[in-house]
Amino acid sequence: QVQLVESGGGLVQPGGSLRLSCAASGFTFSRYYMSWVRQAPGKGPEWVSFINSGGEFTRYANSVKGRFTISRDNAKNTLYLQMNSLKPEDTALYYCARNNLYPPYDIVPGRDYWGQGTQVTVSS
């Protein structure tokens, strides 16, 4: 069964950086597009970024473009999200998620294919 375990969240000041990791198992990781999704308190889930199966192509939500970088290491079955220049509005629970094998990919995947989440709090 699909398992996605996020780590690396924490409390940072505005302008700071964090690197999130996601350990994947239970499926052939290298065959799937992967996404990061976030959900702030009282709000619906927001798609943040995706990366294609081989890691050559990425896309970002306008709210994080230029600040966040998604990457993956297929040999390690691991997905990453490097977050720089963090803002208070980035505060949310961040989830690693597996996309379907067909487009679109810039959407929130079904909840069955998310991890447990890791909390990111940006505050002074």
Side-chain angles (χ1 to χ4, degrees), residues 16-101:
S17 297
L18 283 174
R19 183 176 175 84
L20 307 183
S21 297
C22 168
S25 62
F27 65 101
T28 304
F29 180 74
S30 62
R31 293 180 181 172
Y32 287 83
Y33 279 53
M34 298 291 295
S35 287
W36 286 96
V37 171
R38 67 186 183 184
Q39 188 164 19
K43 299 182 179 179
E46 176 190 15
W47 171 81
V48 174
S49 181
F50 75 66
I51 187 167
N52 78 314
S53 58
E56 306 95 346
F57 181 71
T58 60
R59 185 165 290 168
Y60 301 89
N62 288 336
S63 57
V64 307
K65 191 176 299 181
R67 300 187 297 118
F68 290 11
T69 303
I70 190 171
S71 61
R72 66 194 296 162
D73 185 342
N74 285 345
K76 299 290 186 182
N77 283 2
T78 303
L79 180 72
Y80 304 97
L81 185 67
Q82 177 67 46
M83 305 184 295
N84 299 325
S85 302
L86 284 161
K87 304 175 180 179
E89 51 263 46
D90 295 318
T91 295
L93 192 60
Y94 282 71
Y95 299 93
C96 172
R98 192 187 81 175
N99 285 98
N100 289 319
L101 287 170

